[in-house]
Amino acid sequence: MHASAFCGFYVAKADATLFNDRSEVILVRDGQRTIITMSNDFKGDVKDFAMVVPVPTVLRREDIRVVERRLFDALDAYSAPRLVEYYDENPCVRFDLYDSVMESEMSRAPTSTGMAQEKTARKMGVTIEARYTVGEYDILLLSATESVGLKDWLIANGYRIPATAHEVLDPYIRSNMKFFVVKVDLARFQQSGYTLLRPIQVRFESNKFMLPIRLGMANSNGSQDMIVHAFTRTGRVECVNYRTVKVPSDRNIPLFVKQQFGAFYKDLFARAHRREGRNTVFLEYAWNVTPSFSGMKCDPCVGPPPMPREFAEAGADWGGAATFYTRMHVRYGRDMFPQDLVFQVTPNTENFQARYILTHPAQGDLTCSEGQDYLENLAYRRQRELGELNALTGWDVAKHKGYVNEVRGRLSPERRNNAVPFGWNIKWPGDGFPPSWPMVAWIAALILVPCLIRPAKRTVAVA
Amino acid sequence: MRFLQPITATLVFLKQDARHFQIVFLAGFLLFGILQLHWDAELTRYVFLLGTCLGVQACFIRWKSLPWSSLKSAAVSALGMCLLLKAAGPGALVLGAVVAIASKFMLRVNGRHVFNPGNLGIAAAVLLTGDAWVSPGQWGSGVALFFLVTAAGCMVVLRVGRIDTSLAFLGTLAVLEYFRTVLYLGWEMDVWLHRLSNGSLLLFAFFMITDPMTTPRAQRMRVIWSVAIAVLTFLLGWFFWINSAPIWALLIISTITPILDHLQHGDAFRWNTERPEQPAHHEQHQLT
């Protein structure tokens, strides 16, 4: 149990059971402007809710908004890792090819009076820079000169701060950051009619493009998950102080995974996370989602692509101009993530999605010679699918022998023990290889031109 | 012991020229990145960079009648760029590679080229095209030991004589970072260590600023030069939030290298260690 959120921490006024192990954030970066939307899946009693987030500037009232929770749902549904199903043709009969798409069934981890307050604040070295009410929230922007004063002030005003928090507050105070402190106004919350707290969005101009994760670790020893949905005009967002790697994708997996795709992806992620050293940021999705761009936006789409209305709500409303969507998933803990996450926008527009492939076998009579060849390959393919499943998730696949044997059983007896052809379906390493024509032409020119150049008369050519 | 012969022969070959070691090490890092760190194996990118660097170098070799062995220098520059420069299209890569190699022959002061070719190539590609970028996070911070051991080992073995630049740079940066992160901001030691053990930073410290052709010739000046790069790296990173600050710091400080050379002269560097002195070729080697 850890009472923490991605960039700040949830602080309780009572010993309520607070819990949050997956947070989501939308990051929009355009030049020096950053817009951060923080999802709020706080499960405790709302009267206990409070949040502290370091921000680089004193935000103005118009820089703070409350947005609808369904924005996150729409983005998550659209960019989540996906399953795709293909159907094999029966080689003995002409068949039409069907592609169908299955909605991923990933278990969405549930995905005082002012004057007096100010006077005591000043005594403790805390300045209340601004005070706003936005939607159901009461918001304060604090600046502080030292962490103990800030901690004391928060405690005096009824926020329960983790014991070690002031050690982490210090670096942010020294970096001249302000503190965005949020509480819920119960009366307004009840009037609003919402049952869940809505996400808060802030925008500011700063050359720092980062997420302060360290504060959220103040009272947590375990690891937390964060999904970052990033939008830029130019291309992918990547982390500059940790490695950004792609999550394993485009793998053929056995059919029976369909029923347990949520568990499959969870284990796959855990394994990839361990294998990469537990200190990486994973890329789950990267695509050009420009509203006017008519090309393919996902393959397959597990949710409808974001609409202009959603871009506007996220703050990436660029009037139909190029928009690039990057989804990152990071599992972080204090031991492997000592630094806050710093990002950069790159011109990289290469598409990527976490995608896993199910292939249904051909139906009908397969006794013809081509049909028997097909079954032989199918048995081999299923064996590889099991191997892939084991490699990706670490699941024990020995109990799934039947998955291969049911295909073998359909082979004629003389074919049953045939060896599988070697080198079946070799994949070239990397993309863009074998080379393209412009590359061949360029290399040819680079070889030819030096041959054509005549040496100058001088042998020593120093200016 | 006949079976050892190929090994000793290889070692002798490697020891003939520091660049042989550099090529082996840089190619090794590239393989490590692809196989161990799961970089995208962008073969097209590597082919464009290597091909262009070697091709342009070959043009200059023909034009200026230089020894063909200078292709090794181009290979070193190209591999360095493969490790650092990324681009969305081939145009930026070709531009970077052409600028890198051409600068060795076109941008010369007192018979030496001013900029580190790989460094200038990267800067040109990033600034002029907007289509290229550097990923300082691609090495992570876990491979620190790997770099330190191999790089230091290779430096010592080869006695290129530029270990002083690496140490002055890293030492200065370590002290400055310590003051900033630990003493001033109050972060824990592991934040400091995480910042310093960044693989890209170490690669830069051991393989980019140690190029004997573009570092000042006199040792005292080299140390001043490295300290200046470290200070500028620190300032750009902390106060301007520039990612991959070392690249830009080196580019800026390189402009004062001729002045430092003028203040204190030193011996010109030659790549080959095995052959006897050949004064006639002395100047030519500098071109490479």
Side-chain angles (χ1 to χ4, degrees), chain A residues 29 209 230-238 283 286-288 318 322-326 328 344-350, chain B residues 88 130 133:
Chain A
R29 180 76 171 172
F209 183 30
F231 293 94
T232 69
R233 285 170 184 269
T234 52
R236 276 193 205 171
V237 168
E238 66 177 24
L283 183 72
W287 218 280
N288 177 2
W318 294 318
T323 312
F324 200 88
Y325 182 178
T326 314
M328 288 167 285
Q344 73 177 3
V345 180
T346 72
N348 186 358
T349 52
E350 192 200 335
Chain B
W133 73 99

PDB file of all heavy atoms in Angstrom, chain A residues 29 209 230-238 283 286-288 318 322-326 328 344-350, chain B residues 88 130 133:
ATOM      1  N   ARG A  29       3.412  19.073 -25.482  1.00  0.00           N
ATOM      2  CA  ARG A  29       4.571  19.946 -25.539  1.00  0.00           C
ATOM      3  C   ARG A  29       4.606  20.657 -26.883  1.00  0.00           C
ATOM      4  O   ARG A  29       4.601  20.015 -27.928  1.00  0.00           O
ATOM      5  CB  ARG A  29       5.846  19.118 -25.348  1.00  0.00           C
ATOM      6  CG  ARG A  29       7.138  19.908 -25.390  1.00  0.00           C
ATOM      7  CD  ARG A  29       7.381  20.685 -24.134  1.00  0.00           C
ATOM      8  NE  ARG A  29       8.728  21.255 -24.116  1.00  0.00           N
ATOM      9  CZ  ARG A  29       9.155  22.108 -23.201  1.00  0.00           C
ATOM     10  NH1 ARG A  29       8.360  22.502 -22.229  1.00  0.00           N
ATOM     11  NH2 ARG A  29      10.391  22.570 -23.238  1.00  0.00           N
ATOM     12  N   PHE A 209      11.145  20.244 -19.526  1.00  0.00           N
ATOM     13  CA  PHE A 209      10.113  19.323 -20.010  1.00  0.00           C
ATOM     14  C   PHE A 209      10.299  18.039 -19.215  1.00  0.00           C
ATOM     15  O   PHE A 209      11.059  17.166 -19.597  1.00  0.00           O
ATOM     16  CB  PHE A 209      10.313  19.100 -21.514  1.00  0.00           C
ATOM     17  CG  PHE A 209       9.270  18.220 -22.153  1.00  0.00           C
ATOM     18  CD1 PHE A 209       7.969  18.161 -21.670  1.00  0.00           C
ATOM     19  CD2 PHE A 209       9.592  17.465 -23.268  1.00  0.00           C
ATOM     20  CE1 PHE A 209       7.012  17.356 -22.270  1.00  0.00           C
ATOM     21  CE2 PHE A 209       8.647  16.657 -23.880  1.00  0.00           C
ATOM     22  CZ  PHE A 209       7.354  16.602 -23.377  1.00  0.00           C
ATOM     23  N   ALA A 230       1.690  11.397 -24.676  1.00  0.00           N
ATOM     24  CA  ALA A 230       2.348  12.654 -25.032  1.00  0.00           C
ATOM     25  C   ALA A 230       1.949  13.081 -26.438  1.00  0.00           C
ATOM     26  O   ALA A 230       1.876  12.252 -27.341  1.00  0.00           O
ATOM     27  CB  ALA A 230       3.859  12.504 -24.932  1.00  0.00           C
ATOM     28  N   PHE A 231       1.689  14.364 -26.600  1.00  0.00           N
ATOM     29  CA  PHE A 231       1.338  14.911 -27.913  1.00  0.00           C
ATOM     30  C   PHE A 231       2.293  16.033 -28.285  1.00  0.00           C
ATOM     31  O   PHE A 231       2.572  16.908 -27.468  1.00  0.00           O
ATOM     32  CB  PHE A 231      -0.087  15.471 -27.902  1.00  0.00           C
ATOM     33  CG  PHE A 231      -1.131  14.413 -27.740  1.00  0.00           C
ATOM     34  CD1 PHE A 231      -1.619  14.090 -26.485  1.00  0.00           C
ATOM     35  CD2 PHE A 231      -1.593  13.716 -28.842  1.00  0.00           C
ATOM     36  CE1 PHE A 231      -2.564  13.097 -26.333  1.00  0.00           C
ATOM     37  CE2 PHE A 231      -2.552  12.722 -28.704  1.00  0.00           C
ATOM     38  CZ  PHE A 231      -3.030  12.413 -27.445  1.00  0.00           C
ATOM     39  N   THR A 232       2.811  15.957 -29.522  1.00  0.00           N
ATOM     40  CA  THR A 232       3.687  17.024 -29.997  1.00  0.00           C
ATOM     41  C   THR A 232       3.313  17.336 -31.443  1.00  0.00           C
ATOM     42  O   THR A 232       2.565  16.601 -32.068  1.00  0.00           O
ATOM     43  CB  THR A 232       5.168  16.602 -29.992  1.00  0.00           C
ATOM     44  OG1 THR A 232       5.348  15.608 -30.998  1.00  0.00           O
ATOM     45  CG2 THR A 232       5.585  16.044 -28.648  1.00  0.00           C
ATOM     46  N   ARG A 233       3.912  18.401 -31.964  1.00  0.00           N
ATOM     47  CA  ARG A 233       3.673  18.727 -33.369  1.00  0.00           C
ATOM     48  C   ARG A 233       4.634  17.985 -34.281  1.00  0.00           C
ATOM     49  O   ARG A 233       4.344  17.809 -35.462  1.00  0.00           O
ATOM     50  CB  ARG A 233       3.891  20.231 -33.596  1.00  0.00           C
ATOM     51  CG  ARG A 233       2.783  21.122 -33.087  1.00  0.00           C
ATOM     52  CD  ARG A 233       3.293  22.552 -33.180  1.00  0.00           C
ATOM     53  NE  ARG A 233       2.358  23.515 -32.643  1.00  0.00           N
ATOM     54  CZ  ARG A 233       1.430  24.122 -33.385  1.00  0.00           C
ATOM     55  NH1 ARG A 233       1.310  23.839 -34.660  1.00  0.00           N
ATOM     56  NH2 ARG A 233       0.626  25.007 -32.838  1.00  0.00           N
ATOM     57  N   THR A 234       5.801  17.604 -33.750  1.00  0.00           N
ATOM     58  CA  THR A 234       6.829  17.100 -34.663  1.00  0.00           C
ATOM     59  C   THR A 234       7.012  15.585 -34.685  1.00  0.00           C
ATOM     60  O   THR A 234       7.159  14.999 -35.741  1.00  0.00           O
ATOM     61  CB  THR A 234       8.193  17.725 -34.334  1.00  0.00           C
ATOM     62  OG1 THR A 234       8.422  17.536 -32.937  1.00  0.00           O
ATOM     63  CG2 THR A 234       8.234  19.179 -34.676  1.00  0.00           C
ATOM     64  N   GLY A 235       7.049  14.950 -33.535  1.00  0.00           N
ATOM     65  CA  GLY A 235       7.318  13.515 -33.562  1.00  0.00           C
ATOM     66  C   GLY A 235       7.343  12.957 -32.151  1.00  0.00           C
ATOM     67  O   GLY A 235       6.828  13.571 -31.219  1.00  0.00           O
ATOM     68  N   ARG A 236       7.985  11.806 -32.056  1.00  0.00           N
ATOM     69  CA  ARG A 236       7.984  11.092 -30.788  1.00  0.00           C
ATOM     70  C   ARG A 236       8.593  11.867 -29.629  1.00  0.00           C
ATOM     71  O   ARG A 236       9.510  12.666 -29.831  1.00  0.00           O
ATOM     72  CB  ARG A 236       8.828   9.825 -30.940  1.00  0.00           C
ATOM     73  CG  ARG A 236       8.080   8.680 -31.515  1.00  0.00           C
ATOM     74  CD  ARG A 236       8.935   7.449 -31.306  1.00  0.00           C
ATOM     75  NE  ARG A 236       8.597   6.446 -32.299  1.00  0.00           N
ATOM     76  CZ  ARG A 236       9.283   5.332 -32.485  1.00  0.00           C
ATOM     77  NH1 ARG A 236      10.354   5.096 -31.761  1.00  0.00           N
ATOM     78  NH2 ARG A 236       8.907   4.467 -33.377  1.00  0.00           N
ATOM     79  N   VAL A 237       8.114  11.532 -28.458  1.00  0.00           N
ATOM     80  CA  VAL A 237       8.728  12.031 -27.234  1.00  0.00           C
ATOM     81  C   VAL A 237       9.576  10.892 -26.686  1.00  0.00           C
ATOM     82  O   VAL A 237       9.167   9.727 -26.745  1.00  0.00           O
ATOM     83  CB  VAL A 237       7.637  12.430 -26.223  1.00  0.00           C
ATOM     84  CG1 VAL A 237       8.222  12.662 -24.846  1.00  0.00           C
ATOM     85  CG2 VAL A 237       6.912  13.665 -26.701  1.00  0.00           C
ATOM     86  N   GLU A 238      10.765  11.190 -26.216  1.00  0.00           N
ATOM     87  CA  GLU A 238      11.569  10.152 -25.579  1.00  0.00           C
ATOM     88  C   GLU A 238      12.198  10.703 -24.312  1.00  0.00           C
ATOM     89  O   GLU A 238      12.309  11.917 -24.128  1.00  0.00           O
ATOM     90  CB  GLU A 238      12.640   9.614 -26.538  1.00  0.00           C
ATOM     91  CG  GLU A 238      13.693  10.635 -26.902  1.00  0.00           C
ATOM     92  CD  GLU A 238      14.787  10.069 -27.789  1.00  0.00           C
ATOM     93  OE1 GLU A 238      14.550   9.074 -28.494  1.00  0.00           O
ATOM     94  OE2 GLU A 238      15.888  10.638 -27.762  1.00  0.00           O
ATOM     95  N   LEU A 283       8.023   2.151 -24.681  1.00  0.00           N
ATOM     96  CA  LEU A 283       7.170   2.747 -25.693  1.00  0.00           C
ATOM     97  C   LEU A 283       6.079   1.738 -26.026  1.00  0.00           C
ATOM     98  O   LEU A 283       6.368   0.580 -26.350  1.00  0.00           O
ATOM     99  CB  LEU A 283       8.007   3.035 -26.944  1.00  0.00           C
ATOM    100  CG  LEU A 283       7.282   3.726 -28.084  1.00  0.00           C
ATOM    101  CD1 LEU A 283       7.007   5.178 -27.729  1.00  0.00           C
ATOM    102  CD2 LEU A 283       8.105   3.671 -29.362  1.00  0.00           C
ATOM    103  N   ALA A 286       3.151   4.778 -30.880  1.00  0.00           N
ATOM    104  CA  ALA A 286       3.652   6.028 -31.449  1.00  0.00           C
ATOM    105  C   ALA A 286       3.029   6.153 -32.824  1.00  0.00           C
ATOM    106  O   ALA A 286       3.182   5.245 -33.647  1.00  0.00           O
ATOM    107  CB  ALA A 286       5.177   6.006 -31.559  1.00  0.00           C
ATOM    108  N   TRP A 287       2.315   7.213 -33.074  1.00  0.00           N
ATOM    109  CA  TRP A 287       1.618   7.314 -34.362  1.00  0.00           C
ATOM    110  C   TRP A 287       1.295   8.761 -34.682  1.00  0.00           C
ATOM    111  O   TRP A 287       1.077   9.569 -33.793  1.00  0.00           O
ATOM    112  CB  TRP A 287       0.308   6.506 -34.311  1.00  0.00           C
ATOM    113  CG  TRP A 287       0.027   5.793 -35.607  1.00  0.00           C
ATOM    114  CD1 TRP A 287      -0.507   6.353 -36.726  1.00  0.00           C
ATOM    115  CD2 TRP A 287       0.280   4.413 -35.906  1.00  0.00           C
ATOM    116  NE1 TRP A 287      -0.601   5.397 -37.702  1.00  0.00           N
ATOM    117  CE2 TRP A 287      -0.129   4.209 -37.238  1.00  0.00           C
ATOM    118  CE3 TRP A 287       0.809   3.344 -35.184  1.00  0.00           C
ATOM    119  CZ2 TRP A 287      -0.038   2.965 -37.867  1.00  0.00           C
ATOM    120  CZ3 TRP A 287       0.914   2.116 -35.801  1.00  0.00           C
ATOM    121  CH2 TRP A 287       0.496   1.934 -37.128  1.00  0.00           C
ATOM    122  N   ASN A 288       1.263   9.048 -35.978  1.00  0.00           N
ATOM    123  CA  ASN A 288       0.795  10.341 -36.443  1.00  0.00           C
ATOM    124  C   ASN A 288      -0.728  10.341 -36.360  1.00  0.00           C
ATOM    125  O   ASN A 288      -1.378   9.572 -37.049  1.00  0.00           O
ATOM    126  CB  ASN A 288       1.265  10.538 -37.889  1.00  0.00           C
ATOM    127  CG  ASN A 288       0.764  11.826 -38.493  1.00  0.00           C
ATOM    128  OD1 ASN A 288       0.085  12.605 -37.836  1.00  0.00           O
ATOM    129  ND2 ASN A 288       1.107  12.057 -39.743  1.00  0.00           N
ATOM    130  N   TRP A 318      -4.372  22.101 -32.356  1.00  0.00           N
ATOM    131  CA  TRP A 318      -3.546  22.913 -33.244  1.00  0.00           C
ATOM    132  C   TRP A 318      -4.248  23.124 -34.580  1.00  0.00           C
ATOM    133  O   TRP A 318      -3.603  23.190 -35.629  1.00  0.00           O
ATOM    134  CB  TRP A 318      -2.181  22.238 -33.422  1.00  0.00           C
ATOM    135  CG  TRP A 318      -1.411  22.208 -32.149  1.00  0.00           C
ATOM    136  CD1 TRP A 318      -1.300  23.224 -31.247  1.00  0.00           C
ATOM    137  CD2 TRP A 318      -0.659  21.117 -31.595  1.00  0.00           C
ATOM    138  NE1 TRP A 318      -0.524  22.835 -30.172  1.00  0.00           N
ATOM    139  CE2 TRP A 318      -0.108  21.549 -30.369  1.00  0.00           C
ATOM    140  CE3 TRP A 318      -0.373  19.832 -32.032  1.00  0.00           C
ATOM    141  CZ2 TRP A 318       0.679  20.738 -29.566  1.00  0.00           C
ATOM    142  CZ3 TRP A 318       0.417  19.020 -31.233  1.00  0.00           C
ATOM    143  CH2 TRP A 318       0.931  19.469 -30.009  1.00  0.00           C
ATOM    144  N   ALA A 322      -0.217  19.080 -37.818  1.00  0.00           N
ATOM    145  CA  ALA A 322       0.366  17.780 -37.496  1.00  0.00           C
ATOM    146  C   ALA A 322       0.374  17.521 -35.992  1.00  0.00           C
ATOM    147  O   ALA A 322       0.706  18.401 -35.210  1.00  0.00           O
ATOM    148  CB  ALA A 322       1.786  17.725 -38.034  1.00  0.00           C
ATOM    149  N   THR A 323      -0.033  16.334 -35.616  1.00  0.00           N
ATOM    150  CA  THR A 323      -0.060  15.941 -34.211  1.00  0.00           C
ATOM    151  C   THR A 323       0.500  14.532 -34.106  1.00  0.00           C
ATOM    152  O   THR A 323       0.077  13.647 -34.834  1.00  0.00           O
ATOM    153  CB  THR A 323      -1.506  15.937 -33.674  1.00  0.00           C
ATOM    154  OG1 THR A 323      -2.130  17.151 -34.053  1.00  0.00           O
ATOM    155  CG2 THR A 323      -1.534  15.794 -32.165  1.00  0.00           C
ATOM    156  N   PHE A 324       1.458  14.347 -33.227  1.00  0.00           N
ATOM    157  CA  PHE A 324       2.047  13.026 -33.046  1.00  0.00           C
ATOM    158  C   PHE A 324       1.793  12.543 -31.624  1.00  0.00           C
ATOM    159  O   PHE A 324       1.961  13.283 -30.669  1.00  0.00           O
ATOM    160  CB  PHE A 324       3.545  13.054 -33.352  1.00  0.00           C
ATOM    161  CG  PHE A 324       4.088  11.686 -33.648  1.00  0.00           C
ATOM    162  CD1 PHE A 324       4.065  11.181 -34.934  1.00  0.00           C
ATOM    163  CD2 PHE A 324       4.593  10.892 -32.623  1.00  0.00           C
ATOM    164  CE1 PHE A 324       4.537   9.909 -35.218  1.00  0.00           C
ATOM    165  CE2 PHE A 324       5.067   9.616 -32.885  1.00  0.00           C
ATOM    166  CZ  PHE A 324       5.037   9.135 -34.184  1.00  0.00           C
ATOM    167  N   TYR A 325       1.379  11.301 -31.537  1.00  0.00           N
ATOM    168  CA  TYR A 325       0.962  10.722 -30.262  1.00  0.00           C
ATOM    169  C   TYR A 325       1.987   9.671 -29.823  1.00  0.00           C
ATOM    170  O   TYR A 325       2.292   8.755 -30.568  1.00  0.00           O
ATOM    171  CB  TYR A 325      -0.416  10.079 -30.477  1.00  0.00           C
ATOM    172  CG  TYR A 325      -1.088   9.450 -29.273  1.00  0.00           C
ATOM    173  CD1 TYR A 325      -2.349   8.894 -29.415  1.00  0.00           C
ATOM    174  CD2 TYR A 325      -0.505   9.417 -28.015  1.00  0.00           C
ATOM    175  CE1 TYR A 325      -3.017   8.297 -28.340  1.00  0.00           C
ATOM    176  CE2 TYR A 325      -1.154   8.839 -26.944  1.00  0.00           C
ATOM    177  CZ  TYR A 325      -2.411   8.283 -27.109  1.00  0.00           C
ATOM    178  OH  TYR A 325      -3.051   7.698 -26.043  1.00  0.00           O
ATOM    179  N   THR A 326       2.529   9.808 -28.637  1.00  0.00           N
ATOM    180  CA  THR A 326       3.454   8.829 -28.078  1.00  0.00           C
ATOM    181  C   THR A 326       2.873   8.325 -26.767  1.00  0.00           C
ATOM    182  O   THR A 326       2.502   9.131 -25.914  1.00  0.00           O
ATOM    183  CB  THR A 326       4.831   9.448 -27.766  1.00  0.00           C
ATOM    184  OG1 THR A 326       5.244  10.232 -28.867  1.00  0.00           O
ATOM    185  CG2 THR A 326       5.861   8.377 -27.469  1.00  0.00           C
ATOM    186  N   MET A 328       3.835   6.132 -23.499  1.00  0.00           N
ATOM    187  CA  MET A 328       4.940   5.495 -22.787  1.00  0.00           C
ATOM    188  C   MET A 328       4.419   4.881 -21.493  1.00  0.00           C
ATOM    189  O   MET A 328       3.461   5.375 -20.913  1.00  0.00           O
ATOM    190  CB  MET A 328       6.031   6.515 -22.474  1.00  0.00           C
ATOM    191  CG  MET A 328       6.809   6.947 -23.688  1.00  0.00           C
ATOM    192  SD  MET A 328       7.827   8.409 -23.373  1.00  0.00           S
ATOM    193  CE  MET A 328       6.608   9.700 -23.361  1.00  0.00           C
ATOM    194  N   GLN A 344      12.400  14.739 -24.159  1.00  0.00           N
ATOM    195  CA  GLN A 344      12.660  15.623 -25.285  1.00  0.00           C
ATOM    196  C   GLN A 344      11.747  15.240 -26.437  1.00  0.00           C
ATOM    197  O   GLN A 344      11.339  14.097 -26.557  1.00  0.00           O
ATOM    198  CB  GLN A 344      14.129  15.580 -25.708  1.00  0.00           C
ATOM    199  CG  GLN A 344      14.561  14.319 -26.431  1.00  0.00           C
ATOM    200  CD  GLN A 344      16.017  14.375 -26.901  1.00  0.00           C
ATOM    201  OE1 GLN A 344      16.732  15.328 -26.639  1.00  0.00           O
ATOM    202  NE2 GLN A 344      16.453  13.339 -27.609  1.00  0.00           N
ATOM    203  N   VAL A 345      11.450  16.241 -27.258  1.00  0.00           N
ATOM    204  CA  VAL A 345      10.658  16.002 -28.460  1.00  0.00           C
ATOM    205  C   VAL A 345      11.636  15.741 -29.590  1.00  0.00           C
ATOM    206  O   VAL A 345      12.605  16.465 -29.743  1.00  0.00           O
ATOM    207  CB  VAL A 345       9.799  17.239 -28.786  1.00  0.00           C
ATOM    208  CG1 VAL A 345       8.974  17.008 -30.034  1.00  0.00           C
ATOM    209  CG2 VAL A 345       8.910  17.589 -27.602  1.00  0.00           C
ATOM    210  N   THR A 346      11.425  14.693 -30.371  1.00  0.00           N
ATOM    211  CA  THR A 346      12.321  14.387 -31.485  1.00  0.00           C
ATOM    212  C   THR A 346      11.552  14.499 -32.806  1.00  0.00           C
ATOM    213  O   THR A 346      10.325  14.487 -32.803  1.00  0.00           O
ATOM    214  CB  THR A 346      12.876  12.952 -31.381  1.00  0.00           C
ATOM    215  OG1 THR A 346      11.806  12.045 -31.694  1.00  0.00           O
ATOM    216  CG2 THR A 346      13.427  12.654 -30.008  1.00  0.00           C
ATOM    217  N   PRO A 347      12.271  14.581 -33.917  1.00  0.00           N
ATOM    218  CA  PRO A 347      11.577  14.591 -35.211  1.00  0.00           C
ATOM    219  C   PRO A 347      11.210  13.169 -35.671  1.00  0.00           C
ATOM    220  O   PRO A 347      10.833  12.984 -36.819  1.00  0.00           O
ATOM    221  CB  PRO A 347      12.602  15.208 -36.169  1.00  0.00           C
ATOM    222  CG  PRO A 347      13.819  15.508 -35.364  1.00  0.00           C
ATOM    223  CD  PRO A 347      13.716  14.789 -34.080  1.00  0.00           C
ATOM    224  N   ASN A 348      11.335  12.208 -34.813  1.00  0.00           N
ATOM    225  CA  ASN A 348      11.099  10.809 -35.182  1.00  0.00           C
ATOM    226  C   ASN A 348       9.603  10.537 -35.343  1.00  0.00           C
ATOM    227  O   ASN A 348       8.856  10.569 -34.379  1.00  0.00           O
ATOM    228  CB  ASN A 348      11.678   9.926 -34.074  1.00  0.00           C
ATOM    229  CG  ASN A 348      11.631   8.462 -34.421  1.00  0.00           C
ATOM    230  OD1 ASN A 348      11.130   8.077 -35.471  1.00  0.00           O
ATOM    231  ND2 ASN A 348      12.167   7.645 -33.540  1.00  0.00           N
ATOM    232  N   THR A 349       9.175  10.250 -36.567  1.00  0.00           N
ATOM    233  CA  THR A 349       7.746  10.030 -36.796  1.00  0.00           C
ATOM    234  C   THR A 349       7.444   8.569 -37.136  1.00  0.00           C
ATOM    235  O   THR A 349       6.403   8.261 -37.702  1.00  0.00           O
ATOM    236  CB  THR A 349       7.233  10.917 -37.940  1.00  0.00           C
ATOM    237  OG1 THR A 349       8.083  10.719 -39.068  1.00  0.00           O
ATOM    238  CG2 THR A 349       7.241  12.379 -37.564  1.00  0.00           C
ATOM    239  N   GLU A 350       8.363   7.697 -36.802  1.00  0.00           N
ATOM    240  CA  GLU A 350       8.157   6.282 -37.103  1.00  0.00           C
ATOM    241  C   GLU A 350       7.015   5.734 -36.241  1.00  0.00           C
ATOM    242  O   GLU A 350       6.962   5.980 -35.039  1.00  0.00           O
ATOM    243  CB  GLU A 350       9.457   5.525 -36.794  1.00  0.00           C
ATOM    244  CG  GLU A 350       9.504   4.137 -37.314  1.00  0.00           C
ATOM    245  CD  GLU A 350      10.563   3.304 -36.573  1.00  0.00           C
ATOM    246  OE1 GLU A 350      11.518   3.902 -36.036  1.00  0.00           O
ATOM    247  OE2 GLU A 350      10.395   2.089 -36.525  1.00  0.00           O
TER     248      GLU A 350
ATOM    249  N   ALA B  88      15.449  11.256 -39.109  1.00  0.00           N
ATOM    250  CA  ALA B  88      14.200  10.744 -39.650  1.00  0.00           C
ATOM    251  C   ALA B  88      14.334  10.435 -41.140  1.00  0.00           C
ATOM    252  O   ALA B  88      13.528   9.714 -41.696  1.00  0.00           O
ATOM    253  CB  ALA B  88      13.082  11.750 -39.411  1.00  0.00           C
ATOM    254  N   GLY B 130      16.852  20.036 -38.882  1.00  0.00           N
ATOM    255  CA  GLY B 130      15.692  19.880 -38.008  1.00  0.00           C
ATOM    256  C   GLY B 130      15.103  18.483 -38.108  1.00  0.00           C
ATOM    257  O   GLY B 130      14.018  18.208 -37.616  1.00  0.00           O
ATOM    258  N   TRP B 133      18.417  14.164 -34.557  1.00  0.00           N
ATOM    259  CA  TRP B 133      18.471  14.404 -33.121  1.00  0.00           C
ATOM    260  C   TRP B 133      19.474  13.460 -32.466  1.00  0.00           C
ATOM    261  O   TRP B 133      19.953  12.521 -33.093  1.00  0.00           O
ATOM    262  CB  TRP B 133      17.091  14.234 -32.493  1.00  0.00           C
ATOM    263  CG  TRP B 133      16.598  12.832 -32.384  1.00  0.00           C
ATOM    264  CD1 TRP B 133      16.635  12.037 -31.275  1.00  0.00           C
ATOM    265  CD2 TRP B 133      15.985  12.039 -33.418  1.00  0.00           C
ATOM    266  NE1 TRP B 133      16.078  10.814 -31.555  1.00  0.00           N
ATOM    267  CE2 TRP B 133      15.675  10.791 -32.855  1.00  0.00           C
ATOM    268  CE3 TRP B 133      15.678  12.262 -34.758  1.00  0.00           C
ATOM    269  CZ2 TRP B 133      15.076   9.762 -33.593  1.00  0.00           C
ATOM    270  CZ3 TRP B 133      15.085  11.242 -35.495  1.00  0.00           C
ATOM    271  CH2 TRP B 133      14.792  10.023 -34.907  1.00  0.00           C
TER     272      TRP B 133
END
